[in-house]
Amino acid sequence: MYMIIRTGGHQEKVSVGEQITVDRLKQEPGEEVRFVPLMVHKDDGSIVTDHAELEKDAAVVGKVVQHFKGEKLEVFNYRQKTGYRKHAGHRQPLTLVEIAELRYGTTVERADEKQAAEEAQRVSQELQRQAQAEDEKEAPKKVTPKKKTPAKTTATKSAAAKKPSAKKPAAKKTAPKKQA
């Protein structure tokens, strides 16, 4: 399931466990922040966009990770023939938010549950790989007989096989200069 939220005049597509960058929020790092989604895309493929239903039943809960400044932007104003020049820089204050859970009605997706499921899947794959590696070690190795290479035959090139070289055109002769 994923949801689309609006924050700071921007819209963001979020799912559980993601970290998103939004405009500076008032909450301090470690505090919880809630967003009202604009759209919900459920796992069964259905989409909900009814504003009244979303405001009543849906919520996106995140945790403020940190506040920081964005990359520096150079602002340069110039007007020709007047000597007008202004140079300034700007760094947008931003907040990093980690999405902890998505709620819609009775359905709740939490980041810690998702991480636990991913970890369990990773562990099971690792165990399968180890079992497969042990099976390969225990299996008898197949011995393939070496192939004999055929003896080399020397082929003599016949003189007729050579192509004659192409003839070059004759060089142009320049006429002697007339003397007056």
Side-chain angles (χ1 to χ4, degrees), residues 19-160:
Q19 289 189 342
I20 60 170
T21 302
V22 298
D23 289 343
R24 176 83 181 223
L25 300 174
K26 293 178 186 176
Q27 288 83 357
E28 293 299 316
E31 290 185 23
E32 189 177 276
V33 60
R34 290 180 173 269
F35 302 103
V36 176
L38 300 174
M39 185 193 92
V40 176
H41 184 274
K42 295 192 251 177
D43 290 333
D44 63 0
S46 62
I47 297 175
V48 180
T49 57
D50 182 30
H51 184 67
E53 186 179 344
L54 290 174
E55 210 167 89
K56 181 178 69 171
D57 293 339
V60 175
V61 179
K63 181 180 146 192
V64 175
V65 177
Q66 72 176 18
H67 297 296
F68 65 99
K69 290 183 179 180
E71 298 219 359
K72 186 162 189 170
L73 299 175
E74 299 279 335
V75 181
F76 186 71
N77 295 331
Y78 170 77
R79 295 195 182 132
Q80 62 183 1
K81 300 176 187 170
T82 60
Y84 178 87
R85 291 180 169 90
K86 278 190 178 179
H87 187 191
H90 174 72
R91 293 185 71 186
Q92 182 72 22
L94 300 169
T95 300
L96 185 67
V97 177
E98 183 174 359
I99 304 302
E101 70 180 42
L102 300 178
R103 294 175 179 262
Y104 181 70
T106 59
T107 307
V108 178
E109 282 189 21
R110 289 192 174 87
D112 52 353
E113 292 172 358
K114 184 177 180 182
Q115 289 172 349
E118 288 174 355
E119 182 64 29
Q121 186 178 12
R122 239 189 322 252
V123 168
S124 67
Q125 287 176 350
E126 183 62 31
L127 290 174
Q128 286 177 351
R129 278 192 220 121
Q130 288 176 354
Q132 197 174 32
E134 288 176 11
D135 289 346
E136 288 175 4
K137 285 182 181 178
E138 292 175 4
K141 294 184 178 180
K142 294 181 180 177
V143 178
T144 55
K146 292 185 179 180
K147 294 181 180 178
K148 292 184 180 178
T149 57
K152 292 185 180 179
T153 58
T154 56
T156 56
K157 294 185 180 180
S158 62

